[in-house]
Amino acid sequence: MRAIKNSTYIVNSLFLLVFSFIFLMCTESFAAPADHVPGQYLVKLRAGALQASHIHRLRALGIKVSDPIPETNIIVVERSTRESAKEAIKIIKQNPLVEYAEPNYIFRVNRLPEDPLFSKQWALRNVGQRDDFGEAGIAGVDIGVEGAWDLETGSSDVVVAVIDTGVNLQLSDLKSNLWINTAERDGLTGVDDDGNGWIDDVNGYDFVNAKAEPLDDLGHGSHVAGIIGAAGNDGQGMTGISWKVRLMPLKALGRSGEGTSQAAIEAIHYAIRMGAKIINASWGGSQSSQLVEEAIREASDKNILFVAAAGNSGTDNDQRPHFPASYSVPSIISVAAVDPQGKLASFSCYGKKSVHIAAPGTRILSASLKGYVSHSGTSMAAPHVSGVAALVLSREPHLSALEVKERLLETARPMDSLLWKTVSKGIVNANYALRKEIPPPAFGDPAHWEKVKILNFSTTHPYENQKELEWVVKIPGAKRISLYFEKFETEDPYDRVTLFNANGVKIQSFAGTEGLGWTQPLSGDTVKIVFRSNARNNFYGFDLTRAAYQ
């Protein structure tokens, strides 16, 4: 009789244990890196807690549980993939029959290229190595391509148009991945064999000199092309992000590094007509051209992703736009640059609302006119994003340009230095992008701090003219505080909100819609909020509803 009771207890306990595996969900909004089979856990039961009849009864109830691993008390159970591994294991361990539980881990071959210069490409694999200036990086601050290569190394079906200074067509690392216009290659010299308006354009076109061969006479375009798609794992030179890709060189900039709107428009239309999936634009300026914007918009309408450098003036693109990166075209991705320590590069433009993502951009090794050199700039950051986009399209060719953009932004790895500098708050990450996983938040992101105080500070809606209003937030013991403006709209730049610390020192100031969301953390336990309006226009004002603190 006692044995029956014990057996019933075991079955009921197992039922509750595994039943909870199926139906309980965690409320966390992100998943850990995919180092285990989603939703699967290995559960070791205590001695005597497992019998074949129990497994049969659990399966009859529709619970997913495996046979024990031979010679063990280990079973495999399945839970919702929407639940974090941490929470799942916490729940599993609450059952007294469980001795141990862990995710069903995945082990992989670490697929790394055998190219001799790969160890110097910190952007692809940062292990803290020192660069040519003796400065050490921080291990792990890279684009996560090492894990991505276990899934995808690229496809020759993906064509990336490199609108730049041309490409070194003879460098072996680039030559093997050049796009080929087969109609012109197999046609007659001096004849427009494919009827596209350009003669003998076998590998692209030179719109600066109106020549068929897009030869690089500066080295910039070759450098950009190498980052995207230098041949990988071929035992020579460097490796590109996408080992197998088709690079379409379109020369729109000359030896001085300058180009015209005309050349840019011609190159964009060529890329559209000849089947490019991605356009890389590592160039720009402060001039806004409606016709260039229209050409990019046409590319967007044709499902082409347009990746553009954010600029190297170190300024805020939300205030001082840099084109083409700042055009309001859906398929544009504007790219800032970070260094090997994960900091925004000193020269890089940024923009909380207009610069989408960051990528490595300092002392980047890549191809040139003669061999390989290191360069810095957002020109180097943009092709890292283009290369990752090419990997995503290689693996999922059905995705639209906007879906690829969304994927890259959603899976960007958050970094403290980028929280108020880019839309995505992070650096492009190939591993997360290919695995469709959301990375954990940055440590300094107040949106994920555990301690929160509810506030109810608001102006009138709309606010009055010529008003000065003050509020004080004091949280004893807090080391730093971030405020959350649920709504924020004032006349820019005149009606401003200014934040002061306990000593009356001005810390931050914003107007327009700049203040919307979380503010950058302020040190100390006290923040004074001051709002001043002038005698002119008045808008909604603001609602300050929360303060997060640590």
Side-chain angles (χ1 to χ4, degrees), residues 130-145:
R130 296 185 180 276
D131 59 25
D132 295 339
F133 293 86
E135 186 174 357
I138 296 178
V141 177
D142 52 44
I143 66 168
V145 77

Side-chain angles (χ1 to χ4, degrees), residues 260-518:
T260 65
S261 295
Q262 176 187 348
I265 292 169
E266 288 178 330
I268 293 169
H269 281 286
Y270 185 99
I272 294 171
R273 178 159 184 170
M274 302 309 290
K277 296 293 184 181
I278 302 166
I279 293 175
N280 189 92
S282 290
W283 42 269
S286 60
Q287 301 86 359
S288 176
S289 164
Q290 181 177 340
L291 296 177
V292 171
E293 181 179 3
E294 288 179 358
I296 298 172
R297 192 172 298 279
E298 184 175 342
S300 180
D301 293 341
K302 298 293 185 181
N303 200 30
I304 299 174
L305 188 68
F306 194 94
V307 182
N312 297 337
S313 60
T315 51
D316 187 345
N317 284 4
D318 292 350
Q319 305 298 322
R320 296 173 56 186
H322 180 86
F323 301 102
S326 295
Y327 289 128
S328 297
V329 177
S331 69
I332 287 180
I333 300 182
S334 175
V335 187
V338 295
D339 65 19
Q341 290 79 39
K343 299 175 184 177
L344 184 75
S346 59
F347 55 79
S348 179
C349 290
Y350 56 91
K352 181 180 178 182
K353 295 184 288 186
S354 62
V355 176
H356 299 103
I357 200 168
T362 66
R363 295 185 285 280
I364 303 298
L365 180 73
S366 188
S368 187
L369 297 184
K370 296 180 180 179
Y372 305 88
V373 297
S374 293
H375 289 313
S376 298
T378 55
S379 285
M380 285 63 251
H384 282 91
V385 174
S386 293
V388 174
L391 284 181
V392 172
L393 281 175
S394 298
R395 187 165 178 82
E396 300 177 71
H398 61 280
L399 293 180
S400 69
L402 297 185
E403 287 173 330
V404 174
K405 176 179 177 179
E406 182 180 10
R407 173 77 62 79
L408 297 186
L409 268 58
E410 285 181 344
T411 59
R413 179 186 170 192
M415 292 190 172
D416 286 352
S417 65
L418 300 171
L419 291 176
W420 289 271
K421 299 297 184 180
T422 67
V423 175
S424 67
K425 304 180 181 181
I427 180 175
V428 68
N429 189 282
N431 191 40
Y432 287 123
L434 264 66
R435 299 180 190 280
K436 297 180 278 190
E437 295 177 358
I438 307 300
F443 174 79
D445 190 348
H448 297 278
W449 292 357
E450 294 182 358
K451 298 177 182 179
V452 177
K453 181 177 181 178
I454 303 301
L455 304 175
N456 188 23
F457 299 159
S458 298
T459 63
T460 56
H461 307 310
Y463 55 79
E464 299 178 45
N465 289 334
Q466 293 185 301
K467 279 286 183 178
E468 180 170 321
L469 306 173
E470 292 187 7
W471 298 266
V472 175
V473 176
K474 184 175 180 61
I475 305 176
K479 295 182 179 179
R480 54 180 183 168
I481 298 173
S482 177
L483 305 177
Y484 183 77
F485 288 91
E486 189 167 329
K487 292 186 178 181
F488 193 102
E489 183 187 24
T490 68
E491 183 185 11
D492 188 12
Y494 306 106
D495 300 339
R496 305 192 70 82
V497 170
T498 306
L499 306 182
F500 298 86
N501 65 15
N503 298 320
V505 178
K506 176 182 174 181
I507 304 299
Q508 299 174 32
S509 180
F510 26 76
T513 59
E514 286 180 272
L516 188 64
W518 290 101

Side-chain angles (χ1 to χ4, degrees), residues 127-297:
V127 294
Q129 64 265 52
R130 296 185 180 276
D131 59 25
D132 295 339
F133 293 86
E135 186 174 357
I138 296 178
V141 177
D142 52 44
I143 66 168
V145 77
E146 181 178 353
W149 282 335
D150 288 336
L151 299 180
E152 181 63 63
T153 56
S155 169
S156 57
D157 292 332
V158 178
V159 179
V160 181
V162 181
I163 300 180
D164 215 289
T165 62
V167 164
N168 182 346
L169 304 181
Q170 301 306 315
L171 187 65
S172 57
D173 252 352
L174 301 179
K175 188 175 183 179
S176 58
N177 279 348
L178 288 176
W179 172 78
I180 298 174
N181 184 348
T182 55
E184 293 292 344
R185 181 195 62 186
D186 301 335
L188 300 173
T189 302
V191 176
D192 182 10
D193 299 284
D194 59 357
N196 67 356
W198 294 277
I199 297 173
D200 296 337
D201 50 318
V202 175
N203 296 125
Y205 200 77
D206 178 352
F207 297 98
V208 175
N209 303 296
K211 294 182 178 179
E213 287 191 315
L215 299 177
D216 192 355
D217 48 14
L218 181 62
H220 190 272
S222 299
H223 202 273
V224 168
I227 295 169
I228 298 169
N233 204 33
D234 61 352
Q236 58 184 343
M238 58 172 289
T239 184
I241 296 168
S242 181
W243 298 357
K244 301 174 185 177
V245 70
R246 285 292 173 256
L247 300 167
M248 179 189 287
L250 301 177
K251 185 176 176 65
L253 293 87
R255 182 173 300 183
S256 65
E258 297 179 348
T260 65
S261 295
Q262 176 187 348
I265 292 169
E266 288 178 330
I268 293 169
H269 281 286
Y270 185 99
I272 294 171
R273 178 159 184 170
M274 302 309 290
K277 296 293 184 181
I278 302 166
I279 293 175
N280 189 92
S282 290
W283 42 269
S286 60
Q287 301 86 359
S288 176
S289 164
Q290 181 177 340
L291 296 177
V292 171
E293 181 179 3
E294 288 179 358
I296 298 172
R297 192 172 298 279

